[in-house]
Amino acid sequence: GAGVSQTPSNKVTEKGKYVELRCDPISGHTALYWYRQSLGQGPEFLIYFQGTGAADDSGLPNDRFFAVRPEGSVSTLKIQRTERGDSAVYLCASSLVAGFEETQYFGPGTRLLVL
Amino acid sequence: DAKTTQPTSMDCAEGRAANLPCNHSTISGNEYVYWYRQIHSQGPQYIIHGLKNNETNEMASLIITEDRKSSTLILPHATLRDTAVYYCIVRSWNYGGATNKLIFGTGTLLAVQP
């Protein structure tokens, strides 16, 4: 079946601009996660949703970052006033449920470059 | 979540077993050991997880020492497609569901040589 999909696959923007990154989880998965991966590093947790609500947003670096999941399926990560340091691969993952021994399935990521 | 230590890189000959070590000396009783891998330009992929017993699935085997302070991921017959960064992650769980995030280190780059 279809896995987690993310669009766009690549995004180039200028410093100060606003960007939106989209994630389509596996159908029926109730939990959705966003991670960010800088070059040479492992992924870093940003936020996770259980259904429509953000259950843990402790990884969002500052208030320029915001994510929504209004209908409990597709999620959008929004970054305002982008900075060059925001350049990274943004990964989305989903799991059937959020909890004990659940497996997170990752999408291919969106590569964001801020010039 | 407990911190893990892995070698930065390893080589393995194609067709041979790849043994990837991980130290997690501060692991506590309710923490599981998870392994994910990330092939170049792809998202991480789940491999296997365990608590204290050895585990095996179609991808790999996981050997956890009796004191649980270290573990080894074994790919029994490595192929070129197994070249990837392998992450060992220790996760706690509770019924409150507050620890669902994965905390990745920098992992081990496994290079399978022809």
Side-chain angles (χ1 to χ4, degrees), chain A residues 33 35 37 40-45 48 55-56 58-59 91 98-109 111, chain B residues 32 34 36 38 40-46 49 87 91 93-106:
Chain A
Y33 311 79
Y35 294 82
Q37 186 170 24
Q41 303 296 313
E44 175 189 24
F45 171 79
Y48 106 86
D56 182 353
S58 62
L91 294 161
F100 180 50
E101 289 196 81
E102 99 289 0
T103 296
Q104 295 183 23
Y105 297 89
F106 283 80
R111 285 157 185 76
Chain B
Y32 282 69
Y34 277 73
Y36 278 74
Q38 188 171 24
H40 183 62
S41 296
Q42 297 183 20
Q45 176 191 23
Y46 167 80
H49 74 280
Y87 296 100
R91 296 181 65 194
W93 64 270
N94 61 54
Y95 290 110
T99 55
N100 292 300
K101 59 190 175 188
L102 296 172
I103 300 176
F104 292 83
T106 52

Side-chain angles (χ1 to χ4, degrees), chain A residues 15-74:
Chain A
K15 180 175 178 295
K17 299 290 188 181
Y18 167 83
V19 297
E20 290 189 350
L21 311 179
R22 176 187 168 105
C23 173
D24 283 82
I26 294 172
S27 177
H29 280 196
T30 64
L32 184 146
Y33 311 79
W34 284 98
Y35 294 82
R36 175 170 73 171
Q37 186 170 24
S38 300
L39 195 62
Q41 303 296 313
E44 175 189 24
F45 171 79
L46 296 176
I47 184 172
Y48 106 86
F49 291 87
Q50 176 57 54
T52 60
D56 182 353
D57 65 357
S58 62
L60 294 178
N62 52 58
D63 61 6
R64 295 187 297 106
F65 289 74
F66 189 70
V68 296
R69 195 185 184 202
E71 298 179 356
S73 178
V74 171

